[in-house]
Amino acid sequence: MFAGRYARCYQHVMTGKPPHRGGPGRSRTGPGGPSSGRFARARTGPRTTARDAAERAGGGRDLGDAAPWGDDEAAAPRPRPAAKTGPAPARTSAKPPAARAAGPRGGAPAGRQAPGKGLSGKSPARKISAGKSSAGIGSAPKNPGAGDRGGQADTGRAPGRSARPDRPRPEPAAGPTRRELREATATAFATGVQTLEVMADEAGMRIDRFLSARFPQLPFARIQSLVRKGELRVNGKRAKAADRVEPGASVRVPPLKLEPRPTGPAPAHPGSARHESDLVFLRSLILYEDQDMMVLNKPFGLAVQGGSGTTRHVDGLLEAMRGEDGQKPRLVHRLDKDTAGCLIVAKTRLAAATLAKTFRSRAARKIYWALAAGVPRVRQGRISTYLAKEESGEADARMRVAKHGDEGASHALTYYAVVDQAGQKLSWLSLKPVTGRTHQLRAHAAHIGHPLIGDPKYFDIENWELPGGLQNRLHLLARRIVIPHPRTAKPIDVTAPLPPHMAQSWNLLGLDASRYDPIVEAPES
């Protein structure tokens, strides 16, 4: 073992070349240089070396701060003396003879590594990285002029060191940042802030209906959310859902993020099989039609408008009746999903605005038929209460009877009459609502103790069994509607037939649909 060490030291002294440095712990880092005849232990620096002597001779300059393999001007800038002229330009250096004798870096002579230090003047255990080969380290001393100020290209600069002051750093690659890409993607699916002007044929429309007409691709639930949060402005003021727009009004609409993927089926294109099927289905529902309006016989279970999980509804089916001028028939009022009967649809904007005013002024007369549990003691009566939603966040929440002044409470007025009965078990009720609150007839029937048959929300009679042969479906029909025509003002009187499940119940119970209806004698207000 010791013989091998002395043999390598002897080789170093005789040839002037360092021994092989292929493995860890074999670097020439021992104190005293090659004349000392031994190697230092790993990770220990020299106490007194020739490099230290060169630094003292150079006026105390710390050569360990010099950049390896290149210029050390950045570490200690000094005035540069003029170079000598001659046939071959000689190297100029401000170092004293002792420093020049130590080599271009002030350490060992050229071709020899400074004893006890790496080429950067630091211990090899701290300088040499795992990814750098020993060949790359040992080949640098063969080019002693590479680190001169003479100007040769520096090809061995260690990573992490400062670059030459006169060499421009590469500019970063041009391109959008991650944030810009996200913003550009969001902009692709969103509209900017818009200011809409209300046209003459849109006068009197509710603000939510106005937006639904202008943005048919926007879900109605999203429109209601915009109104509820106060993000809509009409003439600079916050709008409420019940506000009506006037001609020339300015409606400010916030950015609307449109769904990149529609939740429901895509609209049927004209000429497609589904388009023709929807058109034929709507035509089969028409009870009355002219150039301005039509009355549909909405079937049980078909929603009027879309919502969460609802993909097939009347408003969507009306796309099949969009005219060549781009106008689509518009809903004027609504019915519950499980309520069948008369539903008015306007064909033009002007007709929609006129019919909407008719409903607001309570000039439309509506009569409903229902089958209720039990028989009211008072065969003809008046129900007047305040109704409020049990959960304000839900659009189809259950209504409760409230007191005047309660939050969200609205007055509701209904007239009723018993047309016929099946013993004391069931009664045929005719209802005339004066107001149009959500679930008004269903909540009022439950309030007087006679909930409607098949009502999943308000039927709460315990131990009550449905008579055999009757379907457990809501027995409520919008039987008749009388309304002035939007253009001629002549009354339009339309009657809807019983839906299949109610017709079956009428037949089983022996009720005659042609029987006189006493509700026609009820007051109008």
Side-chain angles (χ1 to χ4, degrees), residues 353-378:
T354 305
L355 291 171
K357 288 181 179 179
T358 302
F359 276 95
R360 286 199 310 274
S361 63
R362 300 177 183 176
R365 301 293 178 257
K366 297 173 287 184
I367 295 177
Y368 289 75
W369 281 3
L371 189 63
V375 180
R377 292 183 180 180
V378 180

PDB file of all heavy atoms in Angstrom, residues 353-378:
ATOM      1  N   ALA A 353     -94.888  40.807 -25.609  1.00  0.00           N
ATOM      2  CA  ALA A 353     -94.956  41.947 -24.687  1.00  0.00           C
ATOM      3  C   ALA A 353     -96.399  42.280 -24.330  1.00  0.00           C
ATOM      4  O   ALA A 353     -96.717  42.562 -23.166  1.00  0.00           O
ATOM      5  CB  ALA A 353     -94.264  43.153 -25.312  1.00  0.00           C
ATOM      6  N   THR A 354     -97.294  42.214 -25.297  1.00  0.00           N
ATOM      7  CA  THR A 354     -98.702  42.528 -25.032  1.00  0.00           C
ATOM      8  C   THR A 354     -99.351  41.490 -24.130  1.00  0.00           C
ATOM      9  O   THR A 354    -100.079  41.821 -23.181  1.00  0.00           O
ATOM     10  CB  THR A 354     -99.465  42.630 -26.363  1.00  0.00           C
ATOM     11  OG1 THR A 354     -98.815  43.577 -27.211  1.00  0.00           O
ATOM     12  CG2 THR A 354    -100.901  43.053 -26.128  1.00  0.00           C
ATOM     13  N   LEU A 355     -99.089  40.213 -24.385  1.00  0.00           N
ATOM     14  CA  LEU A 355     -99.661  39.155 -23.560  1.00  0.00           C
ATOM     15  C   LEU A 355     -99.093  39.179 -22.145  1.00  0.00           C
ATOM     16  O   LEU A 355     -99.807  38.897 -21.175  1.00  0.00           O
ATOM     17  CB  LEU A 355     -99.400  37.795 -24.212  1.00  0.00           C
ATOM     18  CG  LEU A 355    -100.157  37.527 -25.513  1.00  0.00           C
ATOM     19  CD1 LEU A 355     -99.654  36.262 -26.180  1.00  0.00           C
ATOM     20  CD2 LEU A 355    -101.656  37.437 -25.256  1.00  0.00           C
ATOM     21  N   ALA A 356     -97.814  39.540 -22.026  1.00  0.00           N
ATOM     22  CA  ALA A 356     -97.223  39.635 -20.693  1.00  0.00           C
ATOM     23  C   ALA A 356     -97.902  40.738 -19.877  1.00  0.00           C
ATOM     24  O   ALA A 356     -98.150  40.565 -18.662  1.00  0.00           O
ATOM     25  CB  ALA A 356     -95.733  39.903 -20.809  1.00  0.00           C
ATOM     26  N   LYS A 357     -98.220  41.854 -20.514  1.00  0.00           N
ATOM     27  CA  LYS A 357     -98.939  42.918 -19.815  1.00  0.00           C
ATOM     28  C   LYS A 357    -100.343  42.460 -19.409  1.00  0.00           C
ATOM     29  O   LYS A 357    -100.843  42.820 -18.342  1.00  0.00           O
ATOM     30  CB  LYS A 357     -99.035  44.150 -20.714  1.00  0.00           C
ATOM     31  CG  LYS A 357     -97.734  44.894 -20.908  1.00  0.00           C
ATOM     32  CD  LYS A 357     -97.935  46.121 -21.789  1.00  0.00           C
ATOM     33  CE  LYS A 357     -96.630  46.881 -21.977  1.00  0.00           C
ATOM     34  NZ  LYS A 357     -96.814  48.077 -22.850  1.00  0.00           N
ATOM     35  N   THR A 358    -100.961  41.633 -20.236  1.00  0.00           N
ATOM     36  CA  THR A 358    -102.290  41.123 -19.913  1.00  0.00           C
ATOM     37  C   THR A 358    -102.256  40.254 -18.656  1.00  0.00           C
ATOM     38  O   THR A 358    -103.130  40.366 -17.780  1.00  0.00           O
ATOM     39  CB  THR A 358    -102.837  40.309 -21.095  1.00  0.00           C
ATOM     40  OG1 THR A 358    -102.877  41.136 -22.255  1.00  0.00           O
ATOM     41  CG2 THR A 358    -104.218  39.777 -20.795  1.00  0.00           C
ATOM     42  N   PHE A 359    -101.226  39.410 -18.529  1.00  0.00           N
ATOM     43  CA  PHE A 359    -101.105  38.567 -17.336  1.00  0.00           C
ATOM     44  C   PHE A 359    -100.781  39.415 -16.109  1.00  0.00           C
ATOM     45  O   PHE A 359    -101.296  39.142 -15.009  1.00  0.00           O
ATOM     46  CB  PHE A 359    -100.030  37.502 -17.550  1.00  0.00           C
ATOM     47  CG  PHE A 359    -100.530  36.282 -18.272  1.00  0.00           C
ATOM     48  CD1 PHE A 359    -100.388  36.145 -19.636  1.00  0.00           C
ATOM     49  CD2 PHE A 359    -101.143  35.257 -17.572  1.00  0.00           C
ATOM     50  CE1 PHE A 359    -100.840  35.020 -20.296  1.00  0.00           C
ATOM     51  CE2 PHE A 359    -101.609  34.124 -18.222  1.00  0.00           C
ATOM     52  CZ  PHE A 359    -101.457  34.006 -19.591  1.00  0.00           C
ATOM     53  N   ARG A 360     -99.976  40.448 -16.283  1.00  0.00           N
ATOM     54  CA  ARG A 360     -99.627  41.286 -15.136  1.00  0.00           C
ATOM     55  C   ARG A 360    -100.843  42.065 -14.626  1.00  0.00           C
ATOM     56  O   ARG A 360    -101.003  42.267 -13.418  1.00  0.00           O
ATOM     57  CB  ARG A 360     -98.507  42.266 -15.504  1.00  0.00           C
ATOM     58  CG  ARG A 360     -97.153  41.626 -15.625  1.00  0.00           C
ATOM     59  CD  ARG A 360     -96.054  42.674 -15.523  1.00  0.00           C
ATOM     60  NE  ARG A 360     -96.281  43.802 -16.407  1.00  0.00           N
ATOM     61  CZ  ARG A 360     -95.909  43.837 -17.683  1.00  0.00           C
ATOM     62  NH1 ARG A 360     -95.312  42.800 -18.220  1.00  0.00           N
ATOM     63  NH2 ARG A 360     -96.135  44.900 -18.419  1.00  0.00           N
ATOM     64  N   SER A 361    -101.667  42.487 -15.538  1.00  0.00           N
ATOM     65  CA  SER A 361    -102.857  43.240 -15.143  1.00  0.00           C
ATOM     66  C   SER A 361    -104.003  42.332 -14.701  1.00  0.00           C
ATOM     67  O   SER A 361    -105.080  42.822 -14.346  1.00  0.00           O
ATOM     68  CB  SER A 361    -103.322  44.125 -16.305  1.00  0.00           C
ATOM     69  OG  SER A 361    -103.703  43.322 -17.410  1.00  0.00           O
ATOM     70  N   ARG A 362    -103.798  41.029 -14.718  1.00  0.00           N
ATOM     71  CA  ARG A 362    -104.784  40.030 -14.306  1.00  0.00           C
ATOM     72  C   ARG A 362    -106.050  40.098 -15.159  1.00  0.00           C
ATOM     73  O   ARG A 362    -107.167  39.872 -14.697  1.00  0.00           O
ATOM     74  CB  ARG A 362    -105.137  40.185 -12.832  1.00  0.00           C
ATOM     75  CG  ARG A 362    -103.923  40.022 -11.913  1.00  0.00           C
ATOM     76  CD  ARG A 362    -104.290  40.263 -10.468  1.00  0.00           C
ATOM     77  NE  ARG A 362    -103.090  40.170  -9.635  1.00  0.00           N
ATOM     78  CZ  ARG A 362    -103.080  40.416  -8.323  1.00  0.00           C
ATOM     79  NH1 ARG A 362    -104.204  40.785  -7.706  1.00  0.00           N
ATOM     80  NH2 ARG A 362    -101.976  40.314  -7.644  1.00  0.00           N
ATOM     81  N   ALA A 363    -105.836  40.413 -16.430  1.00  0.00           N
ATOM     82  CA  ALA A 363    -106.963  40.446 -17.365  1.00  0.00           C
ATOM     83  C   ALA A 363    -107.245  39.081 -17.966  1.00  0.00           C
ATOM     84  O   ALA A 363    -108.291  38.888 -18.597  1.00  0.00           O
ATOM     85  CB  ALA A 363    -106.694  41.455 -18.482  1.00  0.00           C
ATOM     86  N   ALA A 364    -106.324  38.117 -17.778  1.00  0.00           N
ATOM     87  CA  ALA A 364    -106.544  36.759 -18.274  1.00  0.00           C
ATOM     88  C   ALA A 364    -107.339  35.967 -17.242  1.00  0.00           C
ATOM     89  O   ALA A 364    -107.083  36.055 -16.037  1.00  0.00           O
ATOM     90  CB  ALA A 364    -105.213  36.083 -18.563  1.00  0.00           C
ATOM     91  N   ARG A 365    -108.307  35.168 -17.701  1.00  0.00           N
ATOM     92  CA  ARG A 365    -109.136  34.355 -16.826  1.00  0.00           C
ATOM     93  C   ARG A 365    -108.733  32.892 -16.988  1.00  0.00           C
ATOM     94  O   ARG A 365    -108.778  32.349 -18.102  1.00  0.00           O
ATOM     95  CB  ARG A 365    -110.619  34.532 -17.164  1.00  0.00           C
ATOM     96  CG  ARG A 365    -111.105  35.964 -17.045  1.00  0.00           C
ATOM     97  CD  ARG A 365    -111.086  36.420 -15.585  1.00  0.00           C
ATOM     98  NE  ARG A 365    -111.507  37.818 -15.465  1.00  0.00           N
ATOM     99  CZ  ARG A 365    -110.651  38.814 -15.271  1.00  0.00           C
ATOM    100  NH1 ARG A 365    -109.359  38.570 -15.182  1.00  0.00           N
ATOM    101  NH2 ARG A 365    -111.108  40.050 -15.163  1.00  0.00           N
ATOM    102  N   LYS A 366    -108.370  32.261 -15.891  1.00  0.00           N
ATOM    103  CA  LYS A 366    -107.890  30.869 -15.919  1.00  0.00           C
ATOM    104  C   LYS A 366    -108.747  30.014 -14.996  1.00  0.00           C
ATOM    105  O   LYS A 366    -109.069  30.430 -13.867  1.00  0.00           O
ATOM    106  CB  LYS A 366    -106.423  30.797 -15.496  1.00  0.00           C
ATOM    107  CG  LYS A 366    -105.467  31.543 -16.423  1.00  0.00           C
ATOM    108  CD  LYS A 366    -104.065  31.594 -15.868  1.00  0.00           C
ATOM    109  CE  LYS A 366    -103.977  32.565 -14.703  1.00  0.00           C
ATOM    110  NZ  LYS A 366    -102.600  32.721 -14.188  1.00  0.00           N
ATOM    111  N   ILE A 367    -109.067  28.818 -15.456  1.00  0.00           N
ATOM    112  CA  ILE A 367    -109.833  27.858 -14.663  1.00  0.00           C
ATOM    113  C   ILE A 367    -109.080  26.524 -14.665  1.00  0.00           C
ATOM    114  O   ILE A 367    -108.650  26.045 -15.729  1.00  0.00           O
ATOM    115  CB  ILE A 367    -111.258  27.669 -15.230  1.00  0.00           C
ATOM    116  CG1 ILE A 367    -112.046  28.974 -15.105  1.00  0.00           C
ATOM    117  CG2 ILE A 367    -111.988  26.538 -14.510  1.00  0.00           C
ATOM    118  CD1 ILE A 367    -113.433  28.896 -15.712  1.00  0.00           C
ATOM    119  N   TYR A 368    -108.907  25.956 -13.471  1.00  0.00           N
ATOM    120  CA  TYR A 368    -108.211  24.674 -13.307  1.00  0.00           C
ATOM    121  C   TYR A 368    -109.184  23.643 -12.742  1.00  0.00           C
ATOM    122  O   TYR A 368    -110.068  23.969 -11.929  1.00  0.00           O
ATOM    123  CB  TYR A 368    -107.023  24.830 -12.350  1.00  0.00           C
ATOM    124  CG  TYR A 368    -105.849  25.611 -12.910  1.00  0.00           C
ATOM    125  CD1 TYR A 368    -105.891  26.996 -13.029  1.00  0.00           C
ATOM    126  CD2 TYR A 368    -104.681  24.962 -13.308  1.00  0.00           C
ATOM    127  CE1 TYR A 368    -104.824  27.714 -13.529  1.00  0.00           C
ATOM    128  CE2 TYR A 368    -103.602  25.676 -13.803  1.00  0.00           C
ATOM    129  CZ  TYR A 368    -103.678  27.052 -13.916  1.00  0.00           C
ATOM    130  OH  TYR A 368    -102.618  27.761 -14.412  1.00  0.00           O
ATOM    131  N   TRP A 369    -108.990  22.401 -13.162  1.00  0.00           N
ATOM    132  CA  TRP A 369    -109.711  21.282 -12.580  1.00  0.00           C
ATOM    133  C   TRP A 369    -108.735  20.432 -11.798  1.00  0.00           C
ATOM    134  O   TRP A 369    -107.564  20.251 -12.210  1.00  0.00           O
ATOM    135  CB  TRP A 369    -110.372  20.430 -13.664  1.00  0.00           C
ATOM    136  CG  TRP A 369    -111.662  21.017 -14.189  1.00  0.00           C
ATOM    137  CD1 TRP A 369    -112.212  22.199 -13.840  1.00  0.00           C
ATOM    138  CD2 TRP A 369    -112.523  20.420 -15.145  1.00  0.00           C
ATOM    139  NE1 TRP A 369    -113.376  22.400 -14.511  1.00  0.00           N
ATOM    140  CE2 TRP A 369    -113.601  21.317 -15.330  1.00  0.00           C
ATOM    141  CE3 TRP A 369    -112.517  19.233 -15.875  1.00  0.00           C
ATOM    142  CZ2 TRP A 369    -114.642  21.056 -16.201  1.00  0.00           C
ATOM    143  CZ3 TRP A 369    -113.547  18.964 -16.744  1.00  0.00           C
ATOM    144  CH2 TRP A 369    -114.615  19.869 -16.911  1.00  0.00           C
ATOM    145  N   ALA A 370    -109.211  19.873 -10.677  1.00  0.00           N
ATOM    146  CA  ALA A 370    -108.343  19.052  -9.833  1.00  0.00           C
ATOM    147  C   ALA A 370    -109.178  17.995  -9.133  1.00  0.00           C
ATOM    148  O   ALA A 370    -110.400  18.143  -8.953  1.00  0.00           O
ATOM    149  CB  ALA A 370    -107.608  19.916  -8.815  1.00  0.00           C
ATOM    150  N   LEU A 371    -108.512  16.925  -8.719  1.00  0.00           N
ATOM    151  CA  LEU A 371    -109.116  15.872  -7.907  1.00  0.00           C
ATOM    152  C   LEU A 371    -108.430  15.910  -6.550  1.00  0.00           C
ATOM    153  O   LEU A 371    -107.205  15.755  -6.460  1.00  0.00           O
ATOM    154  CB  LEU A 371    -108.936  14.506  -8.569  1.00  0.00           C
ATOM    155  CG  LEU A 371    -109.704  13.337  -7.946  1.00  0.00           C
ATOM    156  CD1 LEU A 371    -111.214  13.571  -8.059  1.00  0.00           C
ATOM    157  CD2 LEU A 371    -109.309  12.008  -8.600  1.00  0.00           C
ATOM    158  N   ALA A 372    -109.230  16.142  -5.486  1.00  0.00           N
ATOM    159  CA  ALA A 372    -108.683  16.344  -4.153  1.00  0.00           C
ATOM    160  C   ALA A 372    -109.110  15.226  -3.220  1.00  0.00           C
ATOM    161  O   ALA A 372    -110.112  14.528  -3.458  1.00  0.00           O
ATOM    162  CB  ALA A 372    -109.118  17.701  -3.595  1.00  0.00           C
ATOM    163  N   ALA A 373    -108.341  15.058  -2.155  1.00  0.00           N
ATOM    164  CA  ALA A 373    -108.665  14.078  -1.119  1.00  0.00           C
ATOM    165  C   ALA A 373    -109.716  14.679  -0.187  1.00  0.00           C
ATOM    166  O   ALA A 373    -109.543  15.776   0.334  1.00  0.00           O
ATOM    167  CB  ALA A 373    -107.407  13.703  -0.341  1.00  0.00           C
ATOM    168  N   GLY A 374    -110.829  13.927   0.052  1.00  0.00           N
ATOM    169  CA  GLY A 374    -111.887  14.425   0.915  1.00  0.00           C
ATOM    170  C   GLY A 374    -112.777  15.437   0.207  1.00  0.00           C
ATOM    171  O   GLY A 374    -112.559  15.788  -0.963  1.00  0.00           O
ATOM    172  N   VAL A 375    -113.788  15.915   0.944  1.00  0.00           N
ATOM    173  CA  VAL A 375    -114.758  16.868   0.393  1.00  0.00           C
ATOM    174  C   VAL A 375    -114.813  18.086   1.319  1.00  0.00           C
ATOM    175  O   VAL A 375    -115.059  17.940   2.524  1.00  0.00           O
ATOM    176  CB  VAL A 375    -116.154  16.238   0.262  1.00  0.00           C
ATOM    177  CG1 VAL A 375    -117.141  17.243  -0.320  1.00  0.00           C
ATOM    178  CG2 VAL A 375    -116.093  14.974  -0.588  1.00  0.00           C
ATOM    179  N   PRO A 376    -114.554  19.294   0.811  1.00  0.00           N
ATOM    180  CA  PRO A 376    -114.637  20.495   1.657  1.00  0.00           C
ATOM    181  C   PRO A 376    -116.061  20.700   2.183  1.00  0.00           C
ATOM    182  O   PRO A 376    -117.043  20.478   1.466  1.00  0.00           O
ATOM    183  CB  PRO A 376    -114.209  21.625   0.714  1.00  0.00           C
ATOM    184  CG  PRO A 376    -113.462  20.964  -0.393  1.00  0.00           C
ATOM    185  CD  PRO A 376    -114.075  19.605  -0.556  1.00  0.00           C
ATOM    186  N   ARG A 377    -116.153  21.120   3.423  1.00  0.00           N
ATOM    187  CA  ARG A 377    -117.471  21.388   4.003  1.00  0.00           C
ATOM    188  C   ARG A 377    -118.140  22.579   3.321  1.00  0.00           C
ATOM    189  O   ARG A 377    -119.352  22.573   3.079  1.00  0.00           O
ATOM    190  CB  ARG A 377    -117.323  21.656   5.500  1.00  0.00           C
ATOM    191  CG  ARG A 377    -116.891  20.435   6.295  1.00  0.00           C
ATOM    192  CD  ARG A 377    -116.832  20.765   7.780  1.00  0.00           C
ATOM    193  NE  ARG A 377    -116.409  19.591   8.543  1.00  0.00           N
ATOM    194  CZ  ARG A 377    -116.266  19.589   9.878  1.00  0.00           C
ATOM    195  NH1 ARG A 377    -116.514  20.701  10.564  1.00  0.00           N
ATOM    196  NH2 ARG A 377    -115.880  18.487  10.486  1.00  0.00           N
ATOM    197  N   VAL A 378    -117.346  23.597   3.039  1.00  0.00           N
ATOM    198  CA  VAL A 378    -117.854  24.753   2.292  1.00  0.00           C
ATOM    199  C   VAL A 378    -117.626  24.464   0.816  1.00  0.00           C
ATOM    200  O   VAL A 378    -116.491  24.387   0.347  1.00  0.00           O
ATOM    201  CB  VAL A 378    -117.134  26.059   2.719  1.00  0.00           C
ATOM    202  CG1 VAL A 378    -117.674  27.244   1.940  1.00  0.00           C
ATOM    203  CG2 VAL A 378    -117.254  26.268   4.211  1.00  0.00           C
TER     204      VAL A 378
END
